Amino acid sequence: MRSVASSAALLAFCFSSTFCLAQQGTPDPCTSGHEFATTDCALTWHGVTVYGAYDVGFGYVSHGLPENGYNYEGESLVNRNGYEHRFLVAPNNLQQTGLGIRGKEEFLPGWSVVFNASTGINPQSGLLANASATDTINNGLPRSSYSIAIDGARAGQPFNDEFYGGISSKHFGTLTFGRQRSLGTDAMLLYDPAGGAYAFSYIGYNGTMAGGGDTEDSRWDDAVKYRITYGPVHFGAMYKFADGSGGCYSASATWTAANCTPESVHNNAFGFNLGGSSGKFSSDFVFQHYNQAISVLNPLLGPQSLSAPYQSTTDSINTNPINGGPGLGPNLIDPTDTVYGIVTDNNAIMVAAKYALERVKFFAGYEYIWQNNPSDPLGVGASDQGGYFMSGVEDNNLDSEKLLNIWWTGAKYTYRSKTDFTFAWYQQRQNDFRVPPACTPQSFRASCAGTLNEGSLYVDHHFTKRFDGFAGIAYSWVRGGLAIAIPHGPGVPYNYDNNLAPTVGGRFTF
């Protein structure tokens, strides 16, 4: 019999997880409304289960921005453009609000067809979770007029979490195809003491670790995923096929549609996972490689945003403004509702472990990421996630190889089976990849060495097996090159380099 706390943790992880298709001891189907209200039974009929969550709260941030209905992560993490203290509705604090449907139907002894379709919804607005829209609605505005803008893997797709189908065998594992969480995301949810909670977890909120370098890659489209468990050992492999449009590229300073060469997409990716458990100890190793990974750093800057020609107002083919100009001709792609992308080839290695006593679980993890300019550039008009296009592209953002080190640790204490106390600490460090390496306080760029830190503490009490309430606080701050908001020379720093974010709220799962 699982405790209320462990049941809720399983539900949080099972929100669109391939792992749960073969999870032993999952809740029995509900047989009555009373049973649904008083137990953790599943809404299952003939092997098809409807599931979901609603998570909303109230918070305060010391350095935040006006909210918008597309943001699904709240404002707990320090933000490059945050400038004022404010009270706000805090969405999706412990878990992404959303709905899903999954199924498992046996067609031969030991063999089943499986599928899963899930999406994230913003509890404060009812809109689909859409990181890209938080940027496009700020396009052309001065920095002082921004609402909250983020980057992430959810971009308003009908199924912005996962959408896949496949075959599962009791002896040969599970093979699925479609939009799926990366292996790094699966591991993050298992080994993050805060379970990926946006309000209290840097690696859950930011997604750099889960995506192996970029938060958009915490989910892979057009991907094959295989998992198998043999005794205490489990193995996973994943491959993403290239998709989308590569736009066009030219080395000419006077490029036009006639001399802009169409580019092919090479955004394939692959990864491996090996892990196991022995008694109270479990550990996992994950490797991920992603070509032409895209990071959306800022909304498109309008002419009134800055007084100097920063590169983030131009494309990477030349220095022409992305919105055209007198004598320059229009941009090949209308910048309306488009994003500005930085493109890299990424590699990441992660190791993580946890140790569980009767009431306390200890967590620790480390990831090493190395990024380079892409071997195959993307051009103007290349596609990004969710049907968005890039009217500005940087294929040469890195002066030299960029190295990231991310580590985290923490503990979760369960009191009388219904109350969890969680402490977590996260740090990200980057190297000095600027050439020439001139990084004094007067000449900082985003290519200078820097650090980001976050610590959090929260309590989560389970009133029933479906409803819990929580309260906690997170504090984050940045230094050095990671404190540069607009990356090109001269670098524009964060408005404020820290953020204090207490939050209270509640969550209902089914």
Side-chain angles (χ1 to χ4, degrees):
M1 188 76 177
R2 293 191 304 273
S3 69
V4 172
S6 63
S7 295
L10 177 62
L11 283 170
F13 177 57
C14 283
F15 188 80
S16 312
S17 173
T18 309
F19 241 28
C20 288
L21 294 172
Q23 178 70 36
Q24 298 299 316
T26 51
D28 293 328
C30 296
T31 59
S32 67
H34 179 267
E35 188 176 6
F36 174 77
T38 57
T39 74
D40 62 347
C41 63
L43 297 178
T44 299
W45 185 73
H46 289 284
V48 177
T49 300
V50 176
Y51 62 98
Y54 186 86
D55 183 325
V56 70
F58 182 71
Y60 167 87
V61 290
S62 59
H63 300 114
L65 287 149
E67 266 294 346
N68 67 65
Y70 295 105
N71 176 35
Y72 57 89
E73 293 186 330
E75 296 193 33
S76 63
L77 188 67
V78 58
N79 186 285
R80 58 179 59 89
N81 299 311
Y83 64 91
E84 64 179 358
H85 63 271
R86 58 189 300 115
F87 292 94
L88 44 80
V89 175
N92 308 322
N93 300 280
L94 298 186
Q95 183 177 350
Q96 172 70 55
T97 296
L99 292 170
I101 181 169
R102 63 173 176 260
K104 182 177 183 180
E105 185 66 27
E106 190 173 66
F107 64 91
L108 289 174
W111 290 86
S112 302
V113 173
V114 296
F115 69 88
N116 187 29
S118 59
T119 197
I121 302 167
N122 294 339
Q124 79 279 26
S125 65
L127 297 172
L128 290 172
N130 193 335
S132 298
T134 68
D135 289 283
T136 59
I137 65 173
N138 286 296
N139 281 351
L141 297 178
R143 189 183 181 200
S144 59
S145 298
Y146 285 171
S147 58
I148 183 72
I150 63 171
D151 193 14
R154 302 175 189 265
Q157 304 95 327
F159 301 103
N160 56 58
D161 186 16
E162 291 191 301
F163 184 53
Y164 65 79
I167 295 177
S168 180
S169 166
K170 290 182 179 180
H171 302 291
F172 299 103
T174 300
L175 180 69
T176 51
F177 176 80
R179 176 175 169 84
Q180 304 182 71
R181 290 178 175 179
S182 70
L183 296 174
T185 303
D186 289 340
M188 180 270 291
L189 292 170
L190 284 173
Y191 292 100
D192 178 7
Y198 293 149
F200 306 110
S201 167
Y202 167 67
I203 59 177
Y205 186 106
N206 179 272
T208 298
M209 184 281 288
D214 286 304
T215 184
E216 290 194 10
D217 304 325
S218 58
R219 285 155 183 82
W220 294 5
D221 289 316
D222 297 323
V224 175
K225 190 175 189 179
Y226 174 71
R227 281 197 177 276
I228 187 169
T229 299
Y230 185 78
V233 178
H234 59 260
F235 172 78
M238 197 168 181
Y239 182 83
K240 177 193 177 301
F241 295 91
D243 62 345
S245 168
C248 71
Y249 184 87
S250 173
S252 171
T254 57
W255 64 282
T256 65
N259 63 15
C260 192
T261 304
E263 294 294 316
S264 298
V265 288
H266 297 83
N267 57 354
N268 60 317
F270 60 88
F272 303 96
N273 165 229
L274 180 64
S277 60
S278 177
K280 300 175 180 180
F281 176 82
S282 61
S283 181
D284 271 80
F285 169 88
V286 179
F287 170 79
Q288 296 184 114
H289 172 82
Y290 202 107
N291 294 314
Q292 295 179 334
I294 296 171
S295 172
V296 174
L297 185 63
N298 269 302
L300 300 179
L301 303 180
Q304 73 274 44
S305 300
L306 299 165
S307 59
Y310 293 91
Q311 190 174 350
S312 50
T313 63
T314 68
D315 57 66
S316 65
I317 295 175
N318 52 29
T319 57
N320 291 350
I322 58 173
N323 60 345
L328 299 176
N331 193 59
L332 292 183
I333 300 298
D334 182 349
T336 303
D337 292 329
T338 64
V339 296
Y340 183 90
I342 293 173
V343 185
T344 55
D345 289 345
N346 298 344
N347 294 278
I349 294 175
M350 181 187 67
V351 291
K354 63 181 178 180
Y355 184 77
L357 298 175
E358 183 177 352
R359 294 182 178 270
V360 184
K361 296 183 180 71
F362 299 96
F363 303 81
Y366 169 77
E367 184 168 44
Y368 179 71
I369 301 169
W370 61 105
Q371 299 174 293
N372 289 279
N373 291 327
S375 300
D376 298 288
L378 286 177
V380 173
S383 56
D384 192 17
Q385 59 176 347
Y388 287 88
F389 291 90
M390 294 188 291
S391 59
V393 184
E394 282 190 50
D395 295 299
N396 55 354
N397 177 260
L398 306 182
D399 294 345
S400 62
E401 188 171 57
K402 179 180 179 181
L403 307 176
L404 295 177
N405 292 271
I406 302 174
W407 67 271
W408 67 95
T409 189
K412 184 183 295 289
Y413 171 73
T414 300
Y415 177 70
R416 292 188 175 180
S417 78
K418 290 188 176 183
T419 306
D420 290 332
F421 295 86
T422 303
F423 167 77
W425 182 268
Y426 311 88
Q427 184 179 85
Q428 176 175 316
R429 291 179 173 269
Q430 74 176 28
N431 68 320
D432 184 348
F433 56 94
R434 188 179 179 197
V435 177
C439 287
T440 65
Q442 294 76 32
S443 63
F444 268 112
R445 304 288 187 272
S447 52
C448 295
T451 60
L452 183 149
N453 298 271
E454 182 180 63
S456 67
L457 177 66
Y458 69 95
V459 58
D460 180 25
H461 179 73
H462 300 267
F463 296 97
T464 70
K465 290 189 175 183
R466 296 199 185 279
F467 177 72
D468 57 323
F470 53 85
I473 190 168
Y475 180 71
S476 54
W477 71 96
V478 287
R479 295 290 185 270
L482 282 171
I484 299 300
I486 300 175
H488 302 290
V492 177
Y494 276 44
N495 285 325
Y496 290 90
D497 62 6
N498 63 86
N499 191 38
L500 180 70
T503 308
V504 297
R507 172 179 61 172
F508 179 78
T509 59
F510 62 90

